[in-house]
Amino acid sequence: MSKLSILTYPNELLQQPCEKVKVFNLELRKLLNEMHTTMIAADGVGLAAPQVGYLKQIAIVENDDEKIIHLINPVILERSGSQVGLEGCLSFPGLFGDVERPFYVKVRAQDKLGKFFILEADEYLARVILHEIDHLNGILFPSKAVTLYKE
Ligand code: CO
């Protein structure tokens, strides 16, 4: 599978809302595989489609068992609590910041075949999921960071 290039800020595509995925076909599965390859190569734990130039509601995240979860058309159903933690982003090389996020999140999304599922997460995984869903709305972590550090 080929690797895609990761767009970096201030690329315009990173700052726009993404469209819903309506067709679950081979092309989508190819994009998911390429996003996976790209994320692993970049040593990331999450990647959203706009970061590789597709304005589609697609994100992938690595869970606590290093398993990849596809989040297509994700919708946040519940969120609670609060946590502050350090975040970075493949679209902002060398930049890190403390971001406040909910501690717990419950999301409904579709898998690569279009099947709906519910995902609950807390702590770190909740942070990754929320960071990636923000990407699908054109929201980037520095806009939420309380402090920013340059490496
Ligand atoms: Co990011």
Side-chain angles (χ1 to χ4, degrees):
M1 277 297 162
S2 50
K3 213 173 71 167
L4 306 166
S5 6
I6 297 176
L7 306 179
T8 53
Y9 183 83
N11 191 296
E12 266 302 304
L13 293 178
L14 295 170
Q15 301 169 72
Q16 288 171 43
C18 295
E19 286 177 4
K20 268 198 150 113
V21 173
K22 296 199 177 97
V23 183
F24 294 79
N25 57 9
L26 190 63
E27 201 183 324
L28 171 69
R29 296 198 285 281
K30 182 169 176 265
L31 175 60
L32 287 164
N33 282 333
E34 288 178 339
M35 284 175 66
H36 185 187
T37 306
T38 306
M39 185 186 85
I40 298 295
D43 207 15
V45 290
L47 186 68
Q51 293 181 276
V52 288
Y54 293 83
L55 289 177
K56 294 279 184 188
Q57 292 181 22
I58 303 168
I60 61 173
V61 298
E62 193 179 276
N63 75 5
D64 301 331
D65 301 322
E66 294 189 1
K67 207 177 143 226
I68 297 295
I69 304 169
H70 299 144
L71 297 172
I72 300 169
N73 303 328
V75 175
I76 298 170
L77 300 179
E78 283 178 47
R79 60 185 108 196
S80 64
S82 152
Q83 58 170 325
V84 176
L86 196 63
E87 291 186 24
C89 179
L90 296 175
S91 295
F92 290 86
L95 192 69
F96 299 91
D98 289 310
V99 181
E100 185 177 356
R101 302 270 183 196
F103 183 82
Y104 162 88
V105 69
K106 183 174 179 180
V107 171
R108 185 185 64 225
Q110 283 165 278
D111 68 12
K112 63 183 177 183
L113 300 173
K115 198 174 160 237
F116 285 93
F117 65 96
I118 302 279
L119 177 65
E120 288 181 282
D122 55 20
E123 291 192 286
Y124 185 68
L125 184 58
R127 169 177 303 286
V128 176
I129 290 167
L130 290 160
H131 175 117
E132 298 312 327
I133 291 177
D134 271 355
H135 271 296
L136 305 183
N137 295 308
I139 298 166
L140 303 168
F141 89 91
S143 70
K144 292 191 165 176
V146 286
T147 39
L148 283 170
Y149 316 90
K150 202 134 186 136
E151 194 179 61

